[in-house]
Amino acid sequence: MVRFFITGGNPLRGTVRASGSKNATLPILAACLLQGAPNVIQQVPALKDVTTMCDVLEYLGARVNREGDSIRVDATHIQSLEVGEDLMRRMRASNLVLGPLLGRFRRVRISHPGGCNIGSRPMNLHLKGLKALGARIEEKFGYITVEAGKLEGAEIHLDVPSVGATENIMMAAVLARGTTIIRNAAKEPEIVDLQNFLNRMGARIKGAGTDVIRIEGVKHLNSVEHAVIPDRIEAGTYLVAAAITGGDVTVTNVIPEHLEPVLAKLKEMGFLVETGDEHVRVAAQDRRPRAVDIKTLPHPGFPTDMQPQMMALACLAEGTSVITETVFENRFKHVSELRRMGADIKVEGQIAIIKGVERLTGAPVMATDLRAGAALVLAALAAENGTVVEGVEHIDRGYEKMEQKYTALGARIMRIST
Ligand code: UD1
């Protein structure tokens, strides 16, 4: 069991560097399965989810070597085309091997990822896309088997712009015959990074970042080196830390455009926001933040992965904020824990109504998922007296050295493992 013990009340000040993006790294590591030559991925964050993806690759037979923030993946010899229950349960994103293994070997079998703490998270769009490329799908005994004699380019319309489905279809289509067009594709920056990585390998993909992606199948791919983009969610979390503690923090190694929806809300709440080429500064002004309405949406809308953190901030705003979660159906688990700290939040379906309070108070709280955990830490940094956050294992999935980064900004936070 890992806990954080946090004594709140210190305004955070200083500069912190964002790590490489978790959600860009995971599909790029999976994409290394597409060809039998080594690739080097740089600026890889040291996170539990990244370790899990490396374990998946090694389990399948790839050789994975990590040196500092670089990972070399050599997927020349693949011995297995199956990912079992243990690895799938450790991380849903293990399902990103579907596209590349199908593309290269025309067969893949994975344990069904099932639902998770934030929603039911079906796989129908991943499978619909792969089927359109010519694959046969069998779902039996908790496993999904996907097989294809040959893969042919196709036009695919996604009902919802799913990030994972877009990535899996892109990866499978790279080695298919002919042209694939994905309509209503996800537009997240991580999709653009995957396109850049695949194109560097020799793929021919256009349109990532818009809702139509066009993939011309190719026969061969080459070894490449690629540095992943900075983590916009990690960066956003540290900017909210500046805001919630009444501090002044500059986050470096960011692409400010990726943070636009978050920065717009911070400005609306009355914070000073400054952007440079590769940094963003957020500073508190001499008054309480104003309440704000937020609706999560696929990119470039407000990211669901920042919703819990912004809710923590809204708890201390002047007035009533309304937060609507439209991406995941069960992403309000942090609400009951924030209430334990004195927050005044009502939930009606997918809508949370947050009446700002003047202060939060420390309490024992439990992180139930990664971003809920990040939100509780933020609340604790602002709270009076001490907070114990349990379930830090969830936080470690997506934040590199969180307590060290916060400590460097002046927070009082201790990791306790028992
Ligand atoms: C990715 C991110 C996650 C982020 C999410 C939304 C990674 C590793 N994870 O998750 O951090 O919160 O995007 O920005 O990049 N859906 C379907 N059918 C499908 C697939 C998805 O109905 O086949 C629905 C989901 O239930 C959800 C919505 O689409 O309601 C968005 O999910 P999706 O974009 O697929 O999220 P992930 O790729 O799993």
Side-chain angles (χ1 to χ4, degrees), residues 22-23 26-27 92-93 96 118 120-126 160-165 167 188 304-305 326-329 331 371:
K22 167 177 89 71
N23 287 352
L26 299 176
R92 274 186 63 84
L96 291 169
I118 59 173
S120 63
R121 304 184 82 173
M123 291 287 295
N124 59 319
L125 300 174
H126 300 241
V160 178
S162 154
V163 173
E167 292 167 342
E188 271 66 2
T304 174
D305 284 352
T326 75
V327 180
F328 291 112
E329 66 268 29
R331 202 166 201 179
R371 307 300 170 187

PDB file of all heavy atoms in Angstrom, residues 22-23 26-27 92-93 96 118 120-126 160-165 167 188 304-305 326-329 331 371, ligand 1:
ATOM      1  N   LYS A  22       2.400  10.119 -21.517  1.00  0.00           N
ATOM      2  CA  LYS A  22       2.030   8.701 -21.338  1.00  0.00           C
ATOM      3  C   LYS A  22       1.173   8.221 -22.496  1.00  0.00           C
ATOM      4  O   LYS A  22       1.429   7.166 -23.081  1.00  0.00           O
ATOM      5  CB  LYS A  22       1.248   8.541 -20.027  1.00  0.00           C
ATOM      6  CG  LYS A  22       0.555   7.194 -19.900  1.00  0.00           C
ATOM      7  CD  LYS A  22      -0.138   7.039 -18.572  1.00  0.00           C
ATOM      8  CE  LYS A  22      -1.564   7.519 -18.518  1.00  0.00           C
ATOM      9  NZ  LYS A  22      -2.522   6.679 -19.259  1.00  0.00           N
ATOM     10  N   ASN A  23       0.157   9.006 -22.838  1.00  0.00           N
ATOM     11  CA  ASN A  23      -0.800   8.534 -23.844  1.00  0.00           C
ATOM     12  C   ASN A  23      -0.256   8.588 -25.267  1.00  0.00           C
ATOM     13  O   ASN A  23      -0.864   8.029 -26.175  1.00  0.00           O
ATOM     14  CB  ASN A  23      -2.113   9.318 -23.741  1.00  0.00           C
ATOM     15  CG  ASN A  23      -2.901   8.919 -22.506  1.00  0.00           C
ATOM     16  OD1 ASN A  23      -2.535   7.964 -21.824  1.00  0.00           O
ATOM     17  ND2 ASN A  23      -3.963   9.644 -22.218  1.00  0.00           N
ATOM     18  N   LEU A  26       2.346   5.096 -25.149  1.00  0.00           N
ATOM     19  CA  LEU A  26       1.789   3.726 -25.168  1.00  0.00           C
ATOM     20  C   LEU A  26       1.493   3.236 -26.591  1.00  0.00           C
ATOM     21  O   LEU A  26       1.953   2.150 -26.969  1.00  0.00           O
ATOM     22  CB  LEU A  26       0.555   3.633 -24.263  1.00  0.00           C
ATOM     23  CG  LEU A  26       0.822   3.933 -22.778  1.00  0.00           C
ATOM     24  CD1 LEU A  26      -0.484   3.918 -21.976  1.00  0.00           C
ATOM     25  CD2 LEU A  26       1.814   2.932 -22.186  1.00  0.00           C
ATOM     26  N   PRO A  27       0.761   4.003 -27.428  1.00  0.00           N
ATOM     27  CA  PRO A  27       0.544   3.502 -28.792  1.00  0.00           C
ATOM     28  C   PRO A  27       1.830   3.435 -29.619  1.00  0.00           C
ATOM     29  O   PRO A  27       1.978   2.551 -30.461  1.00  0.00           O
ATOM     30  CB  PRO A  27      -0.440   4.519 -29.398  1.00  0.00           C
ATOM     31  CG  PRO A  27      -0.403   5.710 -28.514  1.00  0.00           C
ATOM     32  CD  PRO A  27       0.006   5.235 -27.162  1.00  0.00           C
ATOM     33  N   ARG A  92      -5.589  -1.358 -19.445  1.00  0.00           N
ATOM     34  CA  ARG A  92      -6.479  -1.482 -20.609  1.00  0.00           C
ATOM     35  C   ARG A  92      -5.783  -1.182 -21.921  1.00  0.00           C
ATOM     36  O   ARG A  92      -6.080  -1.785 -22.952  1.00  0.00           O
ATOM     37  CB  ARG A  92      -7.612  -0.464 -20.485  1.00  0.00           C
ATOM     38  CG  ARG A  92      -8.782  -0.865 -19.718  1.00  0.00           C
ATOM     39  CD  ARG A  92      -9.809   0.233 -19.863  1.00  0.00           C
ATOM     40  NE  ARG A  92     -10.222   0.354 -21.261  1.00  0.00           N
ATOM     41  CZ  ARG A  92     -11.153  -0.380 -21.840  1.00  0.00           C
ATOM     42  NH1 ARG A  92     -11.811  -1.253 -21.157  1.00  0.00           N
ATOM     43  NH2 ARG A  92     -11.448  -0.226 -23.112  1.00  0.00           N
ATOM     44  N   ALA A  93      -4.863  -0.199 -21.867  1.00  0.00           N
ATOM     45  CA  ALA A  93      -4.209   0.213 -23.117  1.00  0.00           C
ATOM     46  C   ALA A  93      -3.350  -0.907 -23.710  1.00  0.00           C
ATOM     47  O   ALA A  93      -2.823  -0.762 -24.817  1.00  0.00           O
ATOM     48  CB  ALA A  93      -3.381   1.472 -22.890  1.00  0.00           C
ATOM     49  N   LEU A  96      -3.833  -1.922 -27.296  1.00  0.00           N
ATOM     50  CA  LEU A  96      -3.250  -1.246 -28.465  1.00  0.00           C
ATOM     51  C   LEU A  96      -2.350  -2.167 -29.297  1.00  0.00           C
ATOM     52  O   LEU A  96      -1.841  -1.761 -30.336  1.00  0.00           O
ATOM     53  CB  LEU A  96      -2.470  -0.008 -28.021  1.00  0.00           C
ATOM     54  CG  LEU A  96      -3.357   1.126 -27.493  1.00  0.00           C
ATOM     55  CD1 LEU A  96      -2.522   2.211 -26.817  1.00  0.00           C
ATOM     56  CD2 LEU A  96      -4.182   1.740 -28.638  1.00  0.00           C
ATOM     57  N   ILE A 118     -13.769   4.037 -14.474  1.00  0.00           N
ATOM     58  CA  ILE A 118     -14.399   5.272 -14.953  1.00  0.00           C
ATOM     59  C   ILE A 118     -15.516   5.036 -15.958  1.00  0.00           C
ATOM     60  O   ILE A 118     -16.171   5.977 -16.375  1.00  0.00           O
ATOM     61  CB  ILE A 118     -13.358   6.278 -15.518  1.00  0.00           C
ATOM     62  CG1 ILE A 118     -12.570   5.680 -16.677  1.00  0.00           C
ATOM     63  CG2 ILE A 118     -12.433   6.770 -14.432  1.00  0.00           C
ATOM     64  CD1 ILE A 118     -11.653   6.691 -17.366  1.00  0.00           C
ATOM     65  N   SER A 120     -17.758   1.850 -18.753  1.00  0.00           N
ATOM     66  CA  SER A 120     -17.853   0.474 -19.287  1.00  0.00           C
ATOM     67  C   SER A 120     -16.843   0.255 -20.421  1.00  0.00           C
ATOM     68  O   SER A 120     -16.386  -0.841 -20.649  1.00  0.00           O
ATOM     69  CB  SER A 120     -19.271   0.201 -19.772  1.00  0.00           C
ATOM     70  OG  SER A 120     -19.584   1.076 -20.842  1.00  0.00           O
ATOM     71  N   ARG A 121     -16.479   1.287 -21.103  1.00  0.00           N
ATOM     72  CA  ARG A 121     -15.406   1.291 -22.103  1.00  0.00           C
ATOM     73  C   ARG A 121     -15.437   0.102 -23.072  1.00  0.00           C
ATOM     74  O   ARG A 121     -14.551  -0.754 -23.060  1.00  0.00           O
ATOM     75  CB  ARG A 121     -14.051   1.396 -21.404  1.00  0.00           C
ATOM     76  CG  ARG A 121     -13.995   2.617 -20.516  1.00  0.00           C
ATOM     77  CD  ARG A 121     -12.679   2.832 -19.883  1.00  0.00           C
ATOM     78  NE  ARG A 121     -11.737   3.504 -20.753  1.00  0.00           N
ATOM     79  CZ  ARG A 121     -10.531   3.918 -20.365  1.00  0.00           C
ATOM     80  NH1 ARG A 121     -10.141   3.723 -19.131  1.00  0.00           N
ATOM     81  NH2 ARG A 121      -9.727   4.515 -21.203  1.00  0.00           N
ATOM     82  N   PRO A 122     -16.456   0.051 -23.931  1.00  0.00           N
ATOM     83  CA  PRO A 122     -16.540  -1.051 -24.890  1.00  0.00           C
ATOM     84  C   PRO A 122     -15.433  -0.989 -25.943  1.00  0.00           C
ATOM     85  O   PRO A 122     -14.733   0.022 -26.064  1.00  0.00           O
ATOM     86  CB  PRO A 122     -17.907  -0.835 -25.547  1.00  0.00           C
ATOM     87  CG  PRO A 122     -18.216   0.603 -25.363  1.00  0.00           C
ATOM     88  CD  PRO A 122     -17.548   1.026 -24.087  1.00  0.00           C
ATOM     89  N   MET A 123     -15.291  -2.074 -26.698  1.00  0.00           N
ATOM     90  CA  MET A 123     -14.259  -2.165 -27.742  1.00  0.00           C
ATOM     91  C   MET A 123     -14.899  -2.175 -29.135  1.00  0.00           C
ATOM     92  O   MET A 123     -14.233  -2.444 -30.130  1.00  0.00           O
ATOM     93  CB  MET A 123     -13.477  -3.478 -27.576  1.00  0.00           C
ATOM     94  CG  MET A 123     -12.602  -3.567 -26.364  1.00  0.00           C
ATOM     95  SD  MET A 123     -11.129  -2.535 -26.553  1.00  0.00           S
ATOM     96  CE  MET A 123     -10.310  -3.373 -27.908  1.00  0.00           C
ATOM     97  N   ASN A 124     -16.241  -1.945 -29.191  1.00  0.00           N
ATOM     98  CA  ASN A 124     -16.957  -2.140 -30.461  1.00  0.00           C
ATOM     99  C   ASN A 124     -16.371  -1.357 -31.630  1.00  0.00           C
ATOM    100  O   ASN A 124     -16.319  -1.854 -32.755  1.00  0.00           O
ATOM    101  CB  ASN A 124     -18.452  -1.824 -30.273  1.00  0.00           C
ATOM    102  CG  ASN A 124     -18.676  -0.393 -29.803  1.00  0.00           C
ATOM    103  OD1 ASN A 124     -17.948   0.106 -28.961  1.00  0.00           O
ATOM    104  ND2 ASN A 124     -19.687   0.259 -30.337  1.00  0.00           N
ATOM    105  N   LEU A 125     -15.892  -0.135 -31.375  1.00  0.00           N
ATOM    106  CA  LEU A 125     -15.401   0.687 -32.493  1.00  0.00           C
ATOM    107  C   LEU A 125     -14.036   0.201 -32.992  1.00  0.00           C
ATOM    108  O   LEU A 125     -13.757   0.246 -34.188  1.00  0.00           O
ATOM    109  CB  LEU A 125     -15.331   2.156 -32.088  1.00  0.00           C
ATOM    110  CG  LEU A 125     -16.687   2.746 -31.660  1.00  0.00           C
ATOM    111  CD1 LEU A 125     -16.515   4.164 -31.128  1.00  0.00           C
ATOM    112  CD2 LEU A 125     -17.671   2.732 -32.828  1.00  0.00           C
ATOM    113  N   HIS A 126     -13.209  -0.294 -32.079  1.00  0.00           N
ATOM    114  CA  HIS A 126     -11.929  -0.888 -32.499  1.00  0.00           C
ATOM    115  C   HIS A 126     -12.244  -2.056 -33.446  1.00  0.00           C
ATOM    116  O   HIS A 126     -11.676  -2.175 -34.523  1.00  0.00           O
ATOM    117  CB  HIS A 126     -11.163  -1.472 -31.313  1.00  0.00           C
ATOM    118  CG  HIS A 126     -10.809  -0.499 -30.224  1.00  0.00           C
ATOM    119  ND1 HIS A 126      -9.501  -0.240 -29.874  1.00  0.00           N
ATOM    120  CD2 HIS A 126     -11.564   0.258 -29.391  1.00  0.00           C
ATOM    121  CE1 HIS A 126      -9.469   0.635 -28.875  1.00  0.00           C
ATOM    122  NE2 HIS A 126     -10.712   0.942 -28.560  1.00  0.00           N
ATOM    123  N   VAL A 160     -18.190   7.415 -32.448  1.00  0.00           N
ATOM    124  CA  VAL A 160     -17.627   8.316 -31.432  1.00  0.00           C
ATOM    125  C   VAL A 160     -16.145   8.452 -31.777  1.00  0.00           C
ATOM    126  O   VAL A 160     -15.527   7.451 -32.157  1.00  0.00           O
ATOM    127  CB  VAL A 160     -17.763   7.659 -30.025  1.00  0.00           C
ATOM    128  CG1 VAL A 160     -17.161   8.528 -28.956  1.00  0.00           C
ATOM    129  CG2 VAL A 160     -19.190   7.291 -29.720  1.00  0.00           C
ATOM    130  N   PRO A 161     -15.556   9.650 -31.649  1.00  0.00           N
ATOM    131  CA  PRO A 161     -14.132   9.759 -32.000  1.00  0.00           C
ATOM    132  C   PRO A 161     -13.237   9.142 -30.921  1.00  0.00           C
ATOM    133  O   PRO A 161     -12.602   9.839 -30.134  1.00  0.00           O
ATOM    134  CB  PRO A 161     -13.919  11.272 -32.112  1.00  0.00           C
ATOM    135  CG  PRO A 161     -14.985  11.882 -31.280  1.00  0.00           C
ATOM    136  CD  PRO A 161     -16.150  10.948 -31.265  1.00  0.00           C
ATOM    137  N   SER A 162     -13.214   7.827 -30.881  1.00  0.00           N
ATOM    138  CA  SER A 162     -12.442   7.117 -29.861  1.00  0.00           C
ATOM    139  C   SER A 162     -10.947   7.190 -30.167  1.00  0.00           C
ATOM    140  O   SER A 162     -10.511   6.910 -31.288  1.00  0.00           O
ATOM    141  CB  SER A 162     -12.889   5.651 -29.825  1.00  0.00           C
ATOM    142  OG  SER A 162     -11.847   4.831 -29.337  1.00  0.00           O
ATOM    143  N   VAL A 163     -10.182   7.554 -29.146  1.00  0.00           N
ATOM    144  CA  VAL A 163      -8.729   7.673 -29.292  1.00  0.00           C
ATOM    145  C   VAL A 163      -8.130   6.293 -29.597  1.00  0.00           C
ATOM    146  O   VAL A 163      -7.414   6.099 -30.589  1.00  0.00           O
ATOM    147  CB  VAL A 163      -8.111   8.258 -27.992  1.00  0.00           C
ATOM    148  CG1 VAL A 163      -6.600   8.235 -28.042  1.00  0.00           C
ATOM    149  CG2 VAL A 163      -8.635   9.667 -27.750  1.00  0.00           C
ATOM    150  N   GLY A 164      -8.444   5.321 -28.759  1.00  0.00           N
ATOM    151  CA  GLY A 164      -7.860   3.978 -28.919  1.00  0.00           C
ATOM    152  C   GLY A 164      -8.271   3.338 -30.236  1.00  0.00           C
ATOM    153  O   GLY A 164      -7.447   2.717 -30.917  1.00  0.00           O
ATOM    154  N   ALA A 165      -9.547   3.486 -30.615  1.00  0.00           N
ATOM    155  CA  ALA A 165     -10.005   2.863 -31.867  1.00  0.00           C
ATOM    156  C   ALA A 165      -9.292   3.517 -33.049  1.00  0.00           C
ATOM    157  O   ALA A 165      -8.832   2.829 -33.968  1.00  0.00           O
ATOM    158  CB  ALA A 165     -11.521   3.005 -31.997  1.00  0.00           C
ATOM    159  N   GLU A 167      -6.365   4.853 -33.067  1.00  0.00           N
ATOM    160  CA  GLU A 167      -4.962   4.395 -33.081  1.00  0.00           C
ATOM    161  C   GLU A 167      -4.850   2.965 -33.592  1.00  0.00           C
ATOM    162  O   GLU A 167      -3.992   2.648 -34.431  1.00  0.00           O
ATOM    163  CB  GLU A 167      -4.371   4.528 -31.669  1.00  0.00           C
ATOM    164  CG  GLU A 167      -4.225   5.992 -31.264  1.00  0.00           C
ATOM    165  CD  GLU A 167      -3.944   6.211 -29.782  1.00  0.00           C
ATOM    166  OE1 GLU A 167      -4.175   5.290 -28.957  1.00  0.00           O
ATOM    167  OE2 GLU A 167      -3.504   7.324 -29.437  1.00  0.00           O
ATOM    168  N   GLU A 188      -6.912  14.048 -31.016  1.00  0.00           N
ATOM    169  CA  GLU A 188      -5.996  14.367 -29.913  1.00  0.00           C
ATOM    170  C   GLU A 188      -4.553  14.515 -30.412  1.00  0.00           C
ATOM    171  O   GLU A 188      -4.148  13.857 -31.380  1.00  0.00           O
ATOM    172  CB  GLU A 188      -6.043  13.229 -28.870  1.00  0.00           C
ATOM    173  CG  GLU A 188      -7.094  13.367 -27.776  1.00  0.00           C
ATOM    174  CD  GLU A 188      -8.536  13.282 -28.259  1.00  0.00           C
ATOM    175  OE1 GLU A 188      -8.788  13.072 -29.454  1.00  0.00           O
ATOM    176  OE2 GLU A 188      -9.430  13.442 -27.400  1.00  0.00           O
ATOM    177  N   THR A 304     -11.360  15.170 -20.681  1.00  0.00           N
ATOM    178  CA  THR A 304     -11.900  14.438 -19.522  1.00  0.00           C
ATOM    179  C   THR A 304     -10.792  14.123 -18.513  1.00  0.00           C
ATOM    180  O   THR A 304     -11.043  14.061 -17.313  1.00  0.00           O
ATOM    181  CB  THR A 304     -12.626  13.148 -19.965  1.00  0.00           C
ATOM    182  OG1 THR A 304     -13.002  12.405 -18.810  1.00  0.00           O
ATOM    183  CG2 THR A 304     -11.770  12.264 -20.850  1.00  0.00           C
ATOM    184  N   ASP A 305      -9.557  13.961 -19.007  1.00  0.00           N
ATOM    185  CA  ASP A 305      -8.453  13.631 -18.097  1.00  0.00           C
ATOM    186  C   ASP A 305      -8.050  14.806 -17.203  1.00  0.00           C
ATOM    187  O   ASP A 305      -7.212  14.648 -16.319  1.00  0.00           O
ATOM    188  CB  ASP A 305      -7.226  13.159 -18.900  1.00  0.00           C
ATOM    189  CG  ASP A 305      -7.401  11.738 -19.412  1.00  0.00           C
ATOM    190  OD1 ASP A 305      -8.384  11.081 -19.033  1.00  0.00           O
ATOM    191  OD2 ASP A 305      -6.547  11.284 -20.200  1.00  0.00           O
ATOM    192  N   THR A 326     -19.039  14.240 -20.346  1.00  0.00           N
ATOM    193  CA  THR A 326     -19.743  13.584 -21.455  1.00  0.00           C
ATOM    194  C   THR A 326     -18.952  12.418 -22.047  1.00  0.00           C
ATOM    195  O   THR A 326     -19.458  11.697 -22.885  1.00  0.00           O
ATOM    196  CB  THR A 326     -20.056  14.580 -22.612  1.00  0.00           C
ATOM    197  OG1 THR A 326     -18.857  14.835 -23.334  1.00  0.00           O
ATOM    198  CG2 THR A 326     -20.652  15.878 -22.116  1.00  0.00           C
ATOM    199  N   VAL A 327     -17.694  12.250 -21.638  1.00  0.00           N
ATOM    200  CA  VAL A 327     -16.870  11.211 -22.293  1.00  0.00           C
ATOM    201  C   VAL A 327     -16.997   9.858 -21.591  1.00  0.00           C
ATOM    202  O   VAL A 327     -17.206   8.827 -22.233  1.00  0.00           O
ATOM    203  CB  VAL A 327     -15.392  11.664 -22.383  1.00  0.00           C
ATOM    204  CG1 VAL A 327     -14.549  10.586 -23.053  1.00  0.00           C
ATOM    205  CG2 VAL A 327     -15.286  12.980 -23.151  1.00  0.00           C
ATOM    206  N   PHE A 328     -16.889   9.855 -20.273  1.00  0.00           N
ATOM    207  CA  PHE A 328     -16.998   8.597 -19.516  1.00  0.00           C
ATOM    208  C   PHE A 328     -18.172   8.679 -18.552  1.00  0.00           C
ATOM    209  O   PHE A 328     -18.426   9.731 -17.958  1.00  0.00           O
ATOM    210  CB  PHE A 328     -15.708   8.300 -18.753  1.00  0.00           C
ATOM    211  CG  PHE A 328     -14.562   7.951 -19.669  1.00  0.00           C
ATOM    212  CD1 PHE A 328     -13.475   8.793 -19.801  1.00  0.00           C
ATOM    213  CD2 PHE A 328     -14.585   6.789 -20.437  1.00  0.00           C
ATOM    214  CE1 PHE A 328     -12.426   8.482 -20.655  1.00  0.00           C
ATOM    215  CE2 PHE A 328     -13.551   6.469 -21.302  1.00  0.00           C
ATOM    216  CZ  PHE A 328     -12.472   7.314 -21.410  1.00  0.00           C
ATOM    217  N   GLU A 329     -18.881   7.568 -18.381  1.00  0.00           N
ATOM    218  CA  GLU A 329     -20.137   7.623 -17.623  1.00  0.00           C
ATOM    219  C   GLU A 329     -19.956   7.544 -16.109  1.00  0.00           C
ATOM    220  O   GLU A 329     -20.876   7.793 -15.356  1.00  0.00           O
ATOM    221  CB  GLU A 329     -21.116   6.549 -18.119  1.00  0.00           C
ATOM    222  CG  GLU A 329     -20.725   5.115 -17.879  1.00  0.00           C
ATOM    223  CD  GLU A 329     -19.951   4.524 -19.050  1.00  0.00           C
ATOM    224  OE1 GLU A 329     -19.247   5.276 -19.765  1.00  0.00           O
ATOM    225  OE2 GLU A 329     -20.013   3.312 -19.241  1.00  0.00           O
ATOM    226  N   ARG A 331     -17.206   8.942 -14.108  1.00  0.00           N
ATOM    227  CA  ARG A 331     -15.950   9.601 -13.772  1.00  0.00           C
ATOM    228  C   ARG A 331     -16.115  10.659 -12.683  1.00  0.00           C
ATOM    229  O   ARG A 331     -15.487  11.715 -12.722  1.00  0.00           O
ATOM    230  CB  ARG A 331     -15.320  10.214 -15.025  1.00  0.00           C
ATOM    231  CG  ARG A 331     -13.845  10.397 -14.820  1.00  0.00           C
ATOM    232  CD  ARG A 331     -13.065  10.664 -16.033  1.00  0.00           C
ATOM    233  NE  ARG A 331     -11.670  10.308 -15.760  1.00  0.00           N
ATOM    234  CZ  ARG A 331     -10.696  10.393 -16.629  1.00  0.00           C
ATOM    235  NH1 ARG A 331     -10.931  10.812 -17.843  1.00  0.00           N
ATOM    236  NH2 ARG A 331      -9.477  10.049 -16.287  1.00  0.00           N
ATOM    237  N   ARG A 371      -6.593   9.968 -12.459  1.00  0.00           N
ATOM    238  CA  ARG A 371      -6.839  11.419 -12.408  1.00  0.00           C
ATOM    239  C   ARG A 371      -7.624  11.814 -11.158  1.00  0.00           C
ATOM    240  O   ARG A 371      -7.473  12.936 -10.672  1.00  0.00           O
ATOM    241  CB  ARG A 371      -7.553  11.895 -13.671  1.00  0.00           C
ATOM    242  CG  ARG A 371      -6.879  11.490 -14.965  1.00  0.00           C
ATOM    243  CD  ARG A 371      -5.458  12.006 -15.121  1.00  0.00           C
ATOM    244  NE  ARG A 371      -4.809  11.374 -16.280  1.00  0.00           N
ATOM    245  CZ  ARG A 371      -3.546  11.508 -16.621  1.00  0.00           C
ATOM    246  NH1 ARG A 371      -2.715  12.228 -15.876  1.00  0.00           N
ATOM    247  NH2 ARG A 371      -3.057  10.898 -17.669  1.00  0.00           N
TER     248      ARG A 371
HETATM  249  C1  UD1 B   1      -7.816   7.489 -24.152  1.00  0.00           C
HETATM  250  C2  UD1 B   1      -6.817   7.878 -23.089  1.00  0.00           C
HETATM  251  C3  UD1 B   1      -7.539   8.282 -21.798  1.00  0.00           C
HETATM  252  C4  UD1 B   1      -8.564   9.371 -22.087  1.00  0.00           C
HETATM  253  C5  UD1 B   1      -9.489   8.968 -23.226  1.00  0.00           C
HETATM  254  C6  UD1 B   1     -10.421  10.070 -23.653  1.00  0.00           C
HETATM  255  C7  UD1 B   1      -4.895   6.510 -23.645  1.00  0.00           C
HETATM  256  C8  UD1 B   1      -4.027   5.380 -23.290  1.00  0.00           C
HETATM  257  N1  UD1 B   1      -5.939   6.750 -22.834  1.00  0.00           N
HETATM  258  O1  UD1 B   1      -8.513   6.345 -23.676  1.00  0.00           O
HETATM  259  O2  UD1 B   1      -6.561   8.761 -20.874  1.00  0.00           O
HETATM  260  O3  UD1 B   1      -9.334   9.587 -20.927  1.00  0.00           O
HETATM  261  O4  UD1 B   1      -8.716   8.589 -24.376  1.00  0.00           O
HETATM  262  O5  UD1 B   1      -9.716  11.196 -23.986  1.00  0.00           O
HETATM  263  O6  UD1 B   1      -4.659   7.228 -24.600  1.00  0.00           O
HETATM  264  N2  UD1 B   1     -15.873   4.033 -26.854  1.00  0.00           N
HETATM  265  C9  UD1 B   1     -16.859   3.242 -27.410  1.00  0.00           C
HETATM  266  N3  UD1 B   1     -16.477   2.175 -28.172  1.00  0.00           N
HETATM  267  C10 UD1 B   1     -15.161   1.899 -28.423  1.00  0.00           C
HETATM  268  C11 UD1 B   1     -14.178   2.730 -27.864  1.00  0.00           C
HETATM  269  C12 UD1 B   1     -14.558   3.800 -27.070  1.00  0.00           C
HETATM  270  O7  UD1 B   1     -18.044   3.455 -27.197  1.00  0.00           O
HETATM  271  O8  UD1 B   1     -14.883   0.923 -29.132  1.00  0.00           O
HETATM  272  C13 UD1 B   1     -16.280   5.175 -26.000  1.00  0.00           C
HETATM  273  C14 UD1 B   1     -15.765   5.042 -24.569  1.00  0.00           C
HETATM  274  O9  UD1 B   1     -16.581   4.232 -23.791  1.00  0.00           O
HETATM  275  C15 UD1 B   1     -15.742   6.476 -24.120  1.00  0.00           C
HETATM  276  C16 UD1 B   1     -15.379   7.226 -25.398  1.00  0.00           C
HETATM  277  O10 UD1 B   1     -15.630   6.334 -26.480  1.00  0.00           O
HETATM  278  O11 UD1 B   1     -16.997   6.854 -23.691  1.00  0.00           O
HETATM  279  C17 UD1 B   1     -13.960   7.703 -25.488  1.00  0.00           C
HETATM  280  O12 UD1 B   1     -13.091   6.621 -25.238  1.00  0.00           O
HETATM  281  P1  UD1 B   1     -11.692   6.502 -25.993  1.00  0.00           P
HETATM  282  O13 UD1 B   1     -11.397   7.760 -26.721  1.00  0.00           O
HETATM  283  O14 UD1 B   1     -11.673   5.222 -26.763  1.00  0.00           O
HETATM  284  O15 UD1 B   1     -10.695   6.367 -24.766  1.00  0.00           O
HETATM  285  P2  UD1 B   1      -9.398   5.480 -24.692  1.00  0.00           P
HETATM  286  O16 UD1 B   1      -8.715   5.418 -26.004  1.00  0.00           O
HETATM  287  O17 UD1 B   1      -9.708   4.209 -23.985  1.00  0.00           O
END
